[in-house]
Amino acid sequence: MGKWTRRAVLAAGGLLGGGLVLGVGGLAIAPNRLGVRRKEEELPQLTTWLKIAPDNSVIVVVPHCDMGQGVPTALAMMAAEELDADWSLVRVEEAPADPIYANGYLVPVFVPQLADPPALFARGLDYTSFKLSQLMGLQVTGGSSSVRGTGQFGMRMAGAAARSMLLQAAAQLWQVDVRDCTAKLSRVVHEASGRSATFGELADAAARLDPPHRPPLKARTEYSIVGRPVPRLDIPAKVNGSAKYAIDVSLPDMLYATIEAVPIFGAKIGSVDSQAAESLPGVRRIVRLENAVAVVADSYWRALKALRALQITYTTNETALADSASLFERIASTINEDAGKAIDKAGDAARTLERASRVIEAEYRVPFVAHATLEPMCATAKVDGESCEVWTGVQDPLAARKVAADALGIDPKNVVVHNHLLGGGFGRRLPGCHDFVEQAVKIAKELSPTPVKLIWSREEDLRHDFYRPAVLARFRAALDDSGRPIVWSSKFNGLLAGDRSAPRCPYDIEHRDIRAYDVAHAVRVGAWRSVAHSEHGFFTESFIDELAYAAQEDPLQFRLKLLKNPRHRRVLERAAELAGWGQPLEPGLGRGVAVVESFGSVVAEIAEVSVRDRAIKVERVLAVVDCGEVIHPDTAAAQIEGGIVFGLSAALFDAITIRGGAVEQANFFDYRLPKLADAPRTVVEFLKSDAPMGGLGEPGVPPIAPAVANAVFAATGIRLRELPLRLPG
Amino acid sequence: MNVSLTVNGAAHTVDVDEDTPLLWVLRERCGLTGTKFGCGVGACGACTVHVDGEPARSCSIPVVAVQGRSITTIEGLGAERLHRVQRAWIEYQVPQCGYCQSGMIMAAVALLQRIPQPTDADIDAAITNLCRCGTYERVRRAIHAAAAADLTRADHG
């Protein structure tokens, strides 16, 4: 018995109609059969593609979705940089959801240095959330991994390999030494003879060459595209209404569906009285699924009206009935009685606590929160015999393909997924959360072969999310006589599988005891932008602030004294400089700081908060980021700006509460998101850094809630330990 | 019933239930999908269009109420040449996922028609659209830039 392994692979070939196509991906290799390809699963999964057409255009095929993070542009920049392409000739396409996505006559070769991440990258890789071997060959967009994964290992390699082949093709054509040929702005030039040719002219000849084993990559000092704020390729279509999201799909004869799933977690549908609904105009079918009822009509509005006319009863399982208050009681007793699962243990925390002269304790809570993407869940499906097409917007179209195939009991090969722009993702559209795709194909099967577009109402979206878990955390620390913490202990529930880095203490404290507890409940949970860092950033950075005040030290200096990692110290010091830390603020204002490392990036945020009539308003936020190399500075800043607002939603506004086993909130009236008037002025700065590349989609989120809570304490002397932050009346 | 509408200058007659919200008529019957569905209760502003030049949340207006009135959607805003607000949106690279931006732009255009030089407080009060990606700071900057463009270029387009 051995483990399946993956090797990176590079493949090149000709394009139909002329040109060069080149792919980078992974190859799964069975144990003890290295390099021997016998099964279909062992075919290379080439997900990163570069095409050079005879008209000299460059098409970069990106295996990630666009959910607003700007990744398609950043990835294309990385490929174009290594290719020495003319940026104005570069276009981006999203890869289709196909595990092979390869032409039969491609020539694959192994790229040995990619079998293991190069040392530079390996240093900072967080293997719990980011595994090269998993990323290669998958089509997931998540874990803030696109640029540091696909970009570093796929795009750069594809661009460099294509460039090598084009240079080689030119040298052969002109019968000159390849070392005398140079590539620039999508042309190969041989200066001595004055000859030159476009990449497009050379593409056919290049396609007949074997791809290189080790294409040379550029040094950062040679960059002409990467690191510059080029205009994003997706934005023009997003200002004139032409950008197409899944909800915009229109097919001939298409019908519309909307749905109501059982609102009580764990309950089942009892009876459905559809008599009134069926008699309404335009209604074509009432479809009963295992735990949901859908109405199919000739318009969304008619489907919605009929859905509201249905009389549905539920059979509830008594144990499923729960409310948020009783859940927190259950968590509180579990983490008292049970031994839990050790996340980090050092020294002897229990004994040191017993003997310590100063023990500080605090309990924090965060509620369930919803992703609330502005585009509600939707998918269009057309089922025809043993085949199916799906039009949707997901963070992993390959997973959606499998969901559709399983729902219909057909081979995934017979399912085509057309992925669209996502009207927000934030984790809601990750694999494991494609319930709306499953529903859409099951509904479409009943209407086969007519295509059906399923659109969830906002109410359905808020009540059937995969929520960030509700978490209760209990902290204990001991200070020595000098005020230095010597024990850090925490117990909490709700840690999603595999996410063990978030609860660790970044401060240099000798005795540590960090334990996670499982508390089962019926509410669906999932990854919410920054996953466990969103709550653990709040806990850890609030508690260290409490310790600073207990030690009667400045919260910034206290942190700096206890941080060993120079990246953490540098971002803190720079943020303090930008904020004028230590300078007095007007009365009613407070300043709070937090620093959190997540997804390979370190972010310090300082919030300036005003408190008037118990209302908390965040006036200004200064964010300093160390994410290693920055590919696209403006998009990078946009991700941090957006992350701050997203984090503020949980810090100040959002809570999903459960009563009678169901979500209480219905729409944006009672699930309030930040508006423009709530958005702080933000200053974002990136430090020059040689650290391994980190992610950016998520790391802006975790520091904001604690920075705001700490600022509220500075302004009022009131320590708030529960999100959303509310001052007592 | 048959309802006659003028959308982006073109006449449409559609046979729909009279309580159908304008949003769904635009999207499903007129093929204008730039106007988005976000909440269905007028709370998020993704469906913002102009009715006789005034901003309106089309998910909460029965189509019968706008019969015979002039409706402008995002598609009609910069049909010939991008509106200065759209140009400012590109200059400041405002959109992220982009889903809310049609409504956001329509709200911004309406604000500038009413208050050509809005203060931050004016913007806070007028732009109540939701953006889950958190583009608000750039929205604010782009509105100021579009207002300034009006001054310097005397550009009303």
Side-chain angles (χ1 to χ4, degrees):
Chain A
M1 291 294 287
K3 278 188 185 167
W4 280 72
T5 55
R6 265 178 205 281
R7 311 249 337 240
V9 69
L10 187 65
L15 264 180
L16 226 61
L20 167 68
V21 59
L22 204 140
V24 183
L27 173 61
I29 299 166
N32 309 323
R33 279 201 273 136
L34 273 177
V36 183
R37 207 197 280 165
R38 286 193 196 141
K39 287 170 146 184
E40 190 202 326
E41 302 90 79
E42 295 174 56
L43 288 172
Q45 299 190 336
L46 302 165
T47 55
T48 296
W49 289 83
L50 191 64
K51 301 188 221 173
I52 298 166
D55 68 0
N56 208 23
S57 63
V58 177
I59 298 154
V60 180
V61 184
V62 173
H64 293 288
C65 66
D66 177 2
M67 49 184 174
Q69 75 284 40
V71 149
T73 302
L75 291 180
M77 287 166 73
M78 296 172 90
E81 180 66 68
E82 296 293 347
L83 180 62
D84 276 319
D86 178 345
W87 178 248
S88 68
L89 301 175
V90 177
R91 286 193 292 121
V92 176
E93 283 175 10
E94 186 179 328
D98 188 299
I100 309 284
Y101 189 48
N103 297 353
Y105 51 92
L106 286 170
V107 185
V109 299
F110 288 106
V111 180
Q113 79 267 33
L114 280 185
D116 295 303
L120 172 70
F121 304 133
R123 257 196 299 140
L125 289 183
D126 167 4
Y127 280 94
T128 60
S129 64
F130 176 79
K131 286 185 183 137
L132 171 66
S133 60
Q134 288 179 345
L135 282 169
M136 290 281 196
L138 293 184
Q139 264 180 274
V140 183
T141 306
S144 296
S145 62
S146 305
V147 169
R148 62 195 172 123
T150 304
Q152 288 288 55
F153 302 110
M155 289 296 164
R156 286 207 155 129
M157 192 55 54
R163 179 179 177 276
S164 289
M165 293 164 79
L166 290 161
L167 285 169
Q168 192 67 42
Q172 283 181 10
L173 184 70
W174 302 328
Q175 303 201 324
V176 297
D177 190 329
V178 69
R179 284 168 298 184
D180 296 330
C181 297
T182 53
K184 197 179 178 187
L185 293 171
S186 289
R187 292 187 83 85
V188 178
V189 177
H190 183 254
E191 272 190 31
S193 65
R195 271 180 291 204
S196 83
T198 66
F199 286 177
E201 289 161 353
L202 296 165
D204 264 341
R208 286 191 285 274
L209 302 172
D210 285 343
H213 282 259
R214 288 170 184 268
L217 299 178
K218 282 186 183 176
R220 226 189 272 190
T221 49
E222 299 173 90
Y223 289 166
S224 61
I225 299 171
V226 164
R228 295 166 63 165
V230 303
R232 274 171 61 163
L233 302 169
D234 56 318
I235 282 183
K238 290 177 177 174
V239 304
N240 66 11
S242 66
K244 288 283 177 265
Y245 302 81
I247 202 169
D248 302 328
V249 166
S250 181
L251 299 168
D253 305 320
M254 184 175 79
L255 294 171
Y256 300 83
T258 193
I259 197 163
E260 185 174 318
V262 181
I264 300 164
F265 295 102
K268 298 255 181 283
I269 291 174
S271 64
V272 180
D273 179 354
S274 58
Q275 211 178 347
E278 276 169 32
S279 66
L280 290 172
V283 173
R284 299 295 173 81
R285 194 76 59 92
I286 313 293
V287 180
R288 187 172 162 172
L289 303 175
E290 194 191 355
N291 65 346
V293 185
V295 176
V296 183
D298 61 2
S299 78
Y300 173 77
W301 181 245
R302 284 178 156 178
L304 185 68
K305 279 198 292 185
L307 188 76
R308 287 172 179 165
L310 291 172
Q311 304 287 323
I312 308 171
T313 63
Y314 310 107
T315 58
T316 59
N317 167 354
E318 281 306 309
T319 60
L321 287 174
D323 58 45
S324 293
S326 66
L327 175 61
F328 276 118
E329 279 169 29
R330 239 171 2 105
I331 298 167
S333 62
T334 304
I335 67 179
N336 257 356
E337 290 158 16
D338 190 345
K341 186 166 52 186
I343 300 293
D344 185 31
K345 199 164 167 37
D348 192 339
R351 252 182 88 184
T352 317
L353 274 169
E354 271 169 33
R355 294 174 177 185
S357 53
R358 283 198 77 187
V359 173
I360 319 288
E361 294 181 319
E363 184 179 295
Y364 303 92
R365 290 179 186 206
V366 299
F368 295 109
V369 286
H371 298 84
T373 62
L374 210 57
E375 178 192 31
M377 298 304 107
C378 57
T380 302
K382 182 181 193 307
V383 178
D384 196 351
E386 290 290 297
S387 69
C388 168
E389 276 184 272
V390 177
W391 293 259
T392 188
V394 288
Q395 289 173 247
D396 185 347
L398 268 180
R401 184 174 181 250
K402 180 83 165 51
V403 165
D406 290 351
L408 298 169
I410 63 174
D411 192 319
K413 276 190 207 134
N414 299 331
V415 179
V416 177
V417 173
H418 307 274
N419 207 28
H420 286 67
L421 295 176
L422 276 61
F426 318 118
R428 176 60 181 87
R429 289 171 159 109
L430 279 170
C433 311
H434 296 163
D435 48 350
F436 52 99
V437 173
E438 180 181 341
Q439 292 170 349
V441 298
K442 284 181 171 171
I443 295 164
K445 189 183 178 188
E446 300 297 315
L447 280 299
S448 173
T450 304
V452 181
K453 172 152 71 178
L454 170 67
I455 304 172
W456 282 20
S457 66
R458 175 58 56 192
E459 291 78 6
E460 191 69 5
D461 188 76
L462 284 176
R463 288 173 175 165
H464 298 282
D465 200 346
F466 293 80
Y467 308 93
R468 182 190 69 185
V471 181
L472 183 151
R474 245 182 228 146
F475 281 74
R476 297 182 82 197
L479 302 182
D480 69 12
D481 293 340
S482 73
R484 187 184 172 93
I486 47 174
V487 179
W488 178 279
S489 132
S490 65
K491 298 172 165 188
F492 49 84
N493 71 299
L495 193 63
L496 296 177
D499 194 356
R500 295 166 69 95
S501 67
R504 298 176 80 94
C505 173
Y507 298 97
D508 182 19
I509 297 172
E510 189 183 350
H511 303 280
R512 298 186 302 278
D513 186 1
I514 297 174
R515 290 162 191 260
Y517 294 77
D518 287 325
V519 179
H521 56 73
V523 181
R524 303 198 303 189
V525 295
W528 187 89
R529 191 173 183 178
S530 81
V531 204
H533 292 283
S534 83
E535 67 267 17
H536 284 280
F538 170 62
F539 303 150
T540 301
E541 284 299 290
S542 293
F543 193 56
I544 196 75
D545 218 66
E546 297 208 44
L547 299 186
Y549 282 99
Q552 296 185 309
E553 287 192 45
D554 173 82
L556 176 80
Q557 295 306 326
F558 190 73
R559 283 176 173 81
L560 288 171
K561 197 172 73 182
L562 292 171
L563 283 168
K564 278 190 295 194
N565 186 330
R567 294 177 75 198
H568 289 234
R569 284 204 305 273
R570 281 180 66 210
V571 292
L572 271 179
E573 281 163 354
R574 180 60 187 149
E577 217 168 85
L578 286 176
W581 186 269
Q583 290 166 22
L585 287 165
E586 287 168 46
L589 283 176
R591 209 183 259 131
V593 64
V595 59
V596 179
E597 176 172 355
S598 64
F599 306 94
S601 295
V602 190
V603 182
E605 288 171 15
I606 292 179
E608 292 170 3
V609 168
S610 66
V611 179
R612 290 189 185 92
D613 302 328
R614 292 174 46 228
I616 300 166
K617 183 168 192 307
V618 183
E619 305 285 351
R620 192 165 77 120
V621 176
L622 303 119
V624 177
V625 183
D626 177 354
C627 62
E629 183 186 356
V630 177
I631 300 300
H632 189 304
D634 188 56
T635 295
Q639 282 307 294
I640 300 297
E641 292 162 17
I644 289 168
V645 175
F646 201 86
L648 270 183
S649 76
L652 295 180
F653 303 108
D654 306 357
I656 288 287
T657 52
I658 311 295
R659 186 184 287 259
V663 168
E664 287 190 279
Q665 289 69 29
N667 207 312
F668 293 132
F669 288 120
D670 48 14
Y671 193 78
R672 168 133 152 50
L673 298 177
K675 295 184 177 176
L676 189 142
D678 304 309
R681 306 295 187 276
T682 47
V683 176
V684 180
E685 190 176 295
F686 291 85
L687 294 185
K688 279 200 167 35
S689 165
D690 292 323
M693 193 181 285
L696 282 170
E698 295 164 279
V701 177
I704 192 63
V708 171
N710 295 339
V712 170
F713 181 79
T716 64
I718 300 169
R719 177 60 65 178
L720 299 178
R721 300 190 180 92
E722 182 170 358
L723 299 185
L725 303 170
R726 302 255 160 82
L727 282 162
Chain B
M1 69 176 288
N2 277 323
V3 180
S4 296
L5 303 169
T6 305
V7 184
N8 302 330
H12 292 259
T13 300
V14 289
D15 181 14
V16 292
D17 298 345
E18 62 179 36
D19 62 349
T20 308
L22 173 60
L23 169 68
W24 298 106
V25 175
L26 293 172
R27 290 181 54 82
E28 295 179 357
R29 306 304 295 273
C30 303
L32 296 168
T33 54
T35 306
K36 300 302 190 213
F37 166 57
C39 67
V41 295
C44 77
C47 64
T48 305
V49 298
H50 295 175
V51 177
D52 293 335
E54 292 292 320
R57 297 199 167 174
S58 63
C59 75
S60 302
I61 303 173
V63 68
V64 71
V66 293
Q67 185 151 217
R69 297 171 71 182
S70 172
I71 294 145
T72 307
T73 69
I74 187 74
E75 290 92 345
L77 188 65
E80 287 169 22
R81 176 167 179 258
L82 285 185
H83 189 279
R84 62 194 154 89
V85 168
Q86 291 169 306
R87 296 201 300 274
W89 247 241
I90 292 173
E91 189 180 334
Y92 284 80
Q93 298 276 290
V94 173
Q96 289 188 27
C97 90
Y99 192 79
C100 72
Q101 298 294 342
S102 297
M104 198 70 88
I105 288 168
M106 296 309 282
V109 169
L111 166 65
L112 292 176
Q113 279 166 0
R114 194 164 52 84
I115 310 176
Q117 299 300 320
T119 62
D120 278 351
D122 293 331
I123 296 172
D124 282 0
I127 308 297
T128 55
N129 302 45
L130 296 180
C131 170
R132 191 57 166 145
C133 299
T135 62
Y136 296 127
E137 261 282 85
R138 290 177 187 232
V139 167
R140 201 189 325 249
R141 277 183 246 150
I143 290 174
H144 283 307
D150 193 39
L151 265 186
T152 54
R153 296 180 214 157
D155 174 1
H156 295 274

